[in-house]
Amino acid sequence: MKTADNSKMGEDFFKYLPSEIVVEILSRLPTRAAMACKCVCKPWLGLLATPEFVNSHMSRSVLGIAVETRSLSYETIEFVDELDLNFDEEHLWDVTLSFRLPFDGPFRSSANGVIFLRDFRRGDLILCNPITRDYIKLPRPRLTPPKVPDELDNFGFGVSRMTRQYKVVWIFSLVGHAQNPLLGTCSRNACQVYTVGTGSWRNVPFGMPLRFIGDQGGVLFNGNLHWTVAKKRRGIDRWICCFDLETEFFSTFSAPRPHGRGFDFSRSLCVLRDCLCLSDISKDGCVIIWLMKEDERSWTKIFVIPEIDRLSNNSGEKRLTGAIHIWPIRIFENGDALMEWEDGPLFYYSNKRKFLDYTIMSLGDCDPFTRTIMYASSFVSLKSFVMENVYSF
């Protein structure tokens, strides 16, 4: 009889627990396990869609990366403080989630588990969440005066700090203005902002004559989007253009002066150790990473890989000769670094052994020329945004 009572209590244990305790328990599960909980019962299915669960799970979500492995197929990997690597054996990523998307376009960025991408074939701007399996095709931006070709447009996506609004920022240059032969196209810029859930784009004042370097898109840090830009002030200097997603004001501040192989660093901005960082490759082949102290907006050199051209991987092959762009993804506590080279292969630098490895971080059949983005999974549902047509896949 006692055994039967215990069995009955086990069956009803979660049934009689307060919902806030169930949320606390389920929000501590890994993403894949939490997804499976949706199939347990209807109360849990509803519970996992509540803001309480979404916010609690998101606060514990582990930052990692999402990368395309094959056409329309993607894998996500979460980081740990250090990677236990054996350089005598091939090491495969510990993949936390695999998914496919119904549209083709490179990832641009992500915020709170929502991925922003641009389908070049159809010209669609898309927000999607692979965890909830829903997506939004944003309406086309409002009609504007003639502008430069689409490849010179620049986008950013992020979440404002106070109102927690999701916004897409579109910056483009208007034609018919003077061009600087040193900077290339450096005409007057214009900007439109789309607040997700409103259904329309708005013009935002922005007339600074800046050239946006590369097509990385805005790097989100502390509620602001950041781009590397060029402007003329006693020669050509590199600056950071900052857009506050809350106030919707633009500002600029100086960046370390480029002394590298080329001026156009397409993906030099990143966020490391909860700070805005910028990477360079010097003329002698050293990878240099600068960290910005936000209170002073001053830059400090925090990491150097010496003469990367001379470093070989464990097969003796040199693959970075002549590279002008390396994007840092993670610097681990032991001084090792995970990076991406020229919007393509990932490589791992061992600080102790002073060499590079390309195969040890293999992603199997990964396309060698694909974009990797920082990504942390969440259960944010796009259906919570009014005025949007949400589709499932």
Side-chain angles (χ1 to χ4, degrees), residues 78 118 157 166 172 193 232 268 291 331 356 360:
E78 295 179 352
R118 185 181 189 183
F157 170 63
Y166 290 75
F172 54 95
V193 174
K232 188 172 182 181
S268 57
L291 179 145
I331 299 178
L356 308 175
I360 205 164

Side-chain angles (χ1 to χ4, degrees), residues 177-198:
H177 294 270
Q179 295 187 359
N180 186 314
L182 295 176
L183 293 177
T185 301
C186 189
S187 54
R188 184 169 64 86
N189 293 301
C191 175
Q192 290 188 10
V193 174
Y194 185 89
T195 301
V196 183
T198 63

Side-chain angles (χ1 to χ4, degrees), residues 220-273:
L220 180 64
F221 173 66
N222 199 22
N224 297 271
L225 291 171
H226 301 81
W227 295 265
T228 50
V229 297
K231 65 179 180 178
K232 188 172 182 181
R233 178 178 293 183
R234 294 182 180 179
I236 300 176
D237 288 327
R238 180 173 51 189
W239 291 70
I240 306 297
C241 177
C242 175
F243 180 74
D244 190 317
L245 288 166
E246 193 68 49
T247 64
E248 298 189 350
F249 287 143
F250 283 95
S251 61
T252 59
F253 56 93
S254 62
R257 185 176 178 83
H259 296 286
R261 293 171 169 167
F263 188 75
D264 289 354
F265 298 94
S266 61
R267 295 197 69 188
S268 57
L269 273 180
C270 61
V271 177
L272 298 171
R273 298 176 179 175

Side-chain angles (χ1 to χ4, degrees), residues 158-179:
V159 184
S160 61
R161 281 174 288 186
M162 302 298 294
T163 58
R164 309 306 296 169
Q165 291 179 317
Y166 290 75
K167 297 182 180 183
V168 176
V169 180
W170 178 41
I171 299 173
F172 54 95
S173 297
L174 302 175
V175 297
H177 294 270
Q179 295 187 359

